[in-house]
Amino acid sequence: MKKARTMKLSLPIEEYMNPGHLACQGCGATLAMRYVLKALGQKTVLCIPACCWSVIDGPFPYSCLDVPIFHCAFETAAASASGVKAGLEMVGDKETTVVAWAGDGGTFDIGIQALSGAAERNDNIIYVCYDNEAYMNTGIQRSSATPYGAWTTTTPVKHFKDQPKKDIVAIMAAHRIPYLATASVAYPEDLFRKMKKAKEIKGTRFFHIFAPCPTGWRSRPEDTIKLARLAVQTCYFPLFEVEWGEKYTINIKPKEKKPVVDYLRLQGRFSHLTEKEIELIQAGIDRQWHRLLRLASEREKLSVGGE
Amino acid sequence: MKKVIMGNHALSYGAMLARVQVISAYPITPQTQVVELLSEMCASKALEAQFIKVESEHSAMAALIGASLAGARTFTATSAHGLTLMHELLHWAAGGRLPIVMGNINRALAPGWNIWADQNDSLSQRDTGWMQFYCANNQEVLDSVIQAYKVAERLYIPAMIILDAFSLSHTYEVVDIPEQSQVDAYLPPFKPAFRLTPDEPHAFGGLTSPDYYFELRYKLQKAMENVPEIIEETGREYEKKFGRYLGAVEAYQVDDADLILVTSGTAGSTAKVAVDKLRKRGLKVGNLRIRLFRPFPFEIVRHYLRRAKKVAVVDRNISYGHHGIFYQETKSALYGFSSVPIFGFIAGLGGRDITPETFEEIIDYTFSHETPEAEIIWIGVKK
Ligand SMILES: Cc1ncc(C[n+]2csc(CCOP(=O)(O)OP(=O)(O)O)c2C)c(N)n1
Ligand code: SF4
Ligand SMILES: [Mg+2]
């Protein structure tokens, strides 16, 4: 008799997201949700403000998720989640994980006040920002998460965005919350592990998930994972964790840092950039990467000296 | 138990007796004492509630919407700029059919920072789908909070309990604070038909096409139309238990009145003093104080005003480019039912005092004119 062949899966087989969602092909935000729910399980409540995900979920009376969703006002993801958590606790449910799930616009811009408030109070919620680097729901307008050099409909090529991306992770680290992490849809096992870890921590936990958007980035849907991987390999979007605002741990250190041009050239939104502008972008990435290495090694030194 | 308390504390006691479960609030003059006392009640466990100390009124309302959707009884209090900052979320609360109860201290809006009484803050929210109760004394404030939860949770409509700045919020009066057990017998725990829970996963408030949205709003209006009847029913039940009737209006000396004043808030109490004084002079004057402004109790207002020879509406507010807002509503209630001349007065904006003499002037004017000489008759504007 033939021996049955088994395949070992690196993620649980359970799905909390069903077919029939309304996302574009190759949508990174959609994958992010699928992986996050695999880690958090069904005892989860989502607070989703206006963003692509308020459409992706599907029209009333349908929903593509097996967890309850509160579609909330654009600027209120964090405050809504704080309220839901308190409400659930007061009606006797202390277990359910409450997640605020917002885009970069809802996090870096209009929702940052509520997010800062919840983080300062250390409310017991997980805040996930899936970052596609612009307001996609409304048709690709710039946000403060849009990187230097990018085209959007409000930063046309002649006036492309000439400010750097806001450093949301530094801002959240400055709140000294118990846990924050960056993650990527190209590294689902890493994302899964960190989300599992976060689930067991009490207090405000923040995730910044890199989520390519073929529609807004003018990239090919089949390049979504490639782009997300390149973002990590070029150190454009490093994967790391920060505990209590101080303890930095880099999760993936590329053996050989790839040049950012490899990443930029796959996306129409950067196609106008000159070599000089690309050099500027590269220099910015190098600076940020060194800063991160320093922060991570400082804490290594600290823990060696202190323990 | 009888106690001498300020209007703001009457709100806090009302919330405590209603056993609210989640409070979220942000300080603003003249509301602060409401939440200070509630903080103490939570800290001392006199009240088993979570108090989320948010960074803005906007987040306060957002948090309560979340908590209410999760199935908890919720409360906040604010005033003026805090209320107007919440504006978008007031629509979310009502559109989401969440029976949140909120105290609002009627205060003027800047510029020209002004912390004194003025109704424009709450009246600017009249189309958000919230019930609005304008109170005239501290006892009514406390009683209204308890009644509001009963009505709100039955019909799934949020409610605003409104107090004039200082003339009510900071005025101390004797208030009968009912026994908890009696309140419990009147107001059962909040058990919504649907709530946010993994046990029964629903998506609330998602993408809603024209195929559905229209009916959802139709249902909100239909529920609103039931409010006056439920106010009457719950107000009578309250009277049976606590000896105080809580109706949509308070009618004073109206039965034989030639001239009926239409008032709201503390001006409604002051008007009664003027009515007594002028009745002694032989003038047949009465006062109809509107307690329930939203939904507007059309039938009740019609019932009382139809028989009058003249009506004088006094507004501490204005819809710029139009009229005083109670004046608009009163006219629309009577349109097609009565041809009684209706006079619209504006007085007391930004905390200018409204005194018995103010009403005497209004009454004199109304008696001495066939019809109003202007769209708005201003009382006490310095020339
Ligand atoms: C108060 C308010 N302002 C503006 C909007 C319109 N709006 C809806 S979604 C959105 C952009 C969302 O961008 P982001 O958070 O990055 O999510 P994405 O659409 O990219 O997934 C905007 C501007 C709104 N719903 N509410
Ligand atoms: S626009 Fe981008 S983020 Fe939005 S659904 Fe399409 S691919 Fe996903
Ligand atoms: Mg975005």
Side-chain angles (χ1 to χ4, degrees), chain B residues 136-171:
Chain B
N137 58 64
N138 293 355
Q139 184 70 59
E140 187 181 315
V141 171
L142 182 147
D143 295 338
S144 294
V145 174
I146 297 165
Q147 184 193 28
Y149 278 109
K150 182 136 175 147
V151 180
E153 290 171 6
R154 178 124 151 229
L155 296 170
Y156 297 100
I157 307 176
M160 226 180 266
I161 310 299
I162 298 157
L163 292 67
D164 286 321
F166 299 105
S167 51
L168 201 54
S169 67
H170 284 63
T171 298

Side-chain angles (χ1 to χ4, degrees), chain A residues 77-98:
Chain A
S80 300
S82 299
V84 169
K85 185 69 191 169
L88 286 176
E89 284 187 355
M90 288 309 296
V91 298
D93 175 356
K94 306 226 191 285
E95 272 86 66
T96 295
T97 307
V98 179

Side-chain angles (χ1 to χ4, degrees), chain A:
Chain A
M1 220 168 80
K2 256 194 180 171
K3 223 176 140 192
R5 285 222 298 185
T6 55
M7 190 169 73
K8 209 166 154 6
L9 297 174
S10 56
L11 293 176
I13 197 160
E14 285 80 16
E15 294 287 356
Y16 302 95
M17 188 170 161
N18 304 294
H21 64 74
L22 300 184
C24 318
Q25 280 186 29
C27 173
T30 306
L31 290 170
M33 178 67 87
R34 188 172 159 230
Y35 299 143
V36 165
L37 289 182
K38 277 177 184 280
L40 296 179
Q42 204 268 329
K43 260 193 136 9
T44 301
V45 171
L46 295 172
C47 299
I48 306 184
C51 59
C52 268
W53 248 104
S54 43
V55 179
I56 295 170
D57 178 48
F60 174 83
Y62 305 106
S63 167
C64 68
L65 301 180
D66 285 338
V67 299
I69 306 172
F70 165 27
H71 289 280
C72 59
F74 191 19
E75 61 286 3
T76 66
S80 300
S82 299
V84 169
K85 185 69 191 169
L88 286 176
E89 284 187 355
M90 288 309 296
V91 298
D93 175 356
K94 306 226 191 285
E95 272 86 66
T96 295
T97 307
V98 179
V99 177
W101 179 276
D104 49 290
T107 304
F108 289 57
D109 293 338
I110 200 164
I112 197 167
Q113 173 180 324
L115 170 58
S116 175
E120 185 272 333
R121 294 188 302 273
N122 199 21
D123 283 349
N124 196 12
I125 58 169
I126 299 182
Y127 190 108
V128 179
C129 169
Y130 69 92
D131 186 1
N132 52 23
E133 303 195 314
Y135 301 155
M136 296 311 177
N137 172 300
T138 40
I140 326 171
Q141 294 84 22
R142 96 192 272 284
S143 75
S144 60
T146 303
Y148 169 89
W151 160 90
T152 67
T153 56
T154 51
T155 49
V157 167
K158 274 194 187 154
H159 279 274
F160 65 72
K161 190 175 183 244
D162 64 354
Q163 301 88 10
K165 186 182 175 95
K166 190 188 274 182
D167 190 348
I168 194 73
V169 169
I171 291 170
M172 294 316 294
H175 285 75
R176 297 175 190 280
I177 49 175
Y179 187 74
L180 76 81
T182 66
S184 166
V185 293
Y187 295 85
E189 292 85 359
D190 172 76
L191 192 166
F192 178 84
R193 181 188 63 76
K194 289 189 280 197
M195 193 53 78
K196 272 263 183 228
K197 178 172 171 183
K199 191 183 171 192
E200 303 310 318
I201 295 169
K202 245 189 117 167
T204 305
R205 293 138 289 170
F206 180 80
F207 274 78
H208 184 198
I209 305 185
F210 192 72
C213 164
T215 309
W217 294 7
R218 300 290 189 248
S219 58
R220 299 189 312 175
E222 59 269 39
D223 281 347
T224 287
I225 299 303
K226 191 172 177 183
L227 277 170
R229 190 171 295 130
L230 275 170
V232 174
Q233 290 170 342
T234 56
C235 299
Y236 172 83
F237 193 91
L239 298 182
F240 61 101
E241 299 159 87
V242 189
E243 284 155 90
W244 295 110
E246 284 186 357
K247 193 174 158 194
Y248 281 70
T249 310
I250 299 175
N251 305 121
I252 292 181
K253 266 189 209 169
K255 280 199 196 78
E256 219 174 303
K257 198 152 128 256
K258 290 198 171 148
V260 74
V261 66
D262 293 3
Y263 167 75
L264 299 175
R265 283 298 179 228
L266 290 172
Q267 304 171 57
R269 63 174 174 156
F270 294 119
S271 60
H272 52 276
L273 292 180
T274 61
E275 262 175 42
K276 212 168 161 243
E277 284 151 4
I278 292 175
E279 272 169 31
L280 265 172
I281 294 174
Q282 185 65 60
I285 290 173
D286 295 345
R287 243 189 345 266
Q288 285 300 321
W289 177 242
H290 281 121
R291 179 173 169 269
L292 182 62
L293 287 174
R294 203 177 62 236
L295 287 167
S297 72
E298 264 172 19
R299 85 107 184 138
E300 274 160 24
K301 267 185 255 153
L302 268 178
S303 55
V304 170
E307 279 158 17

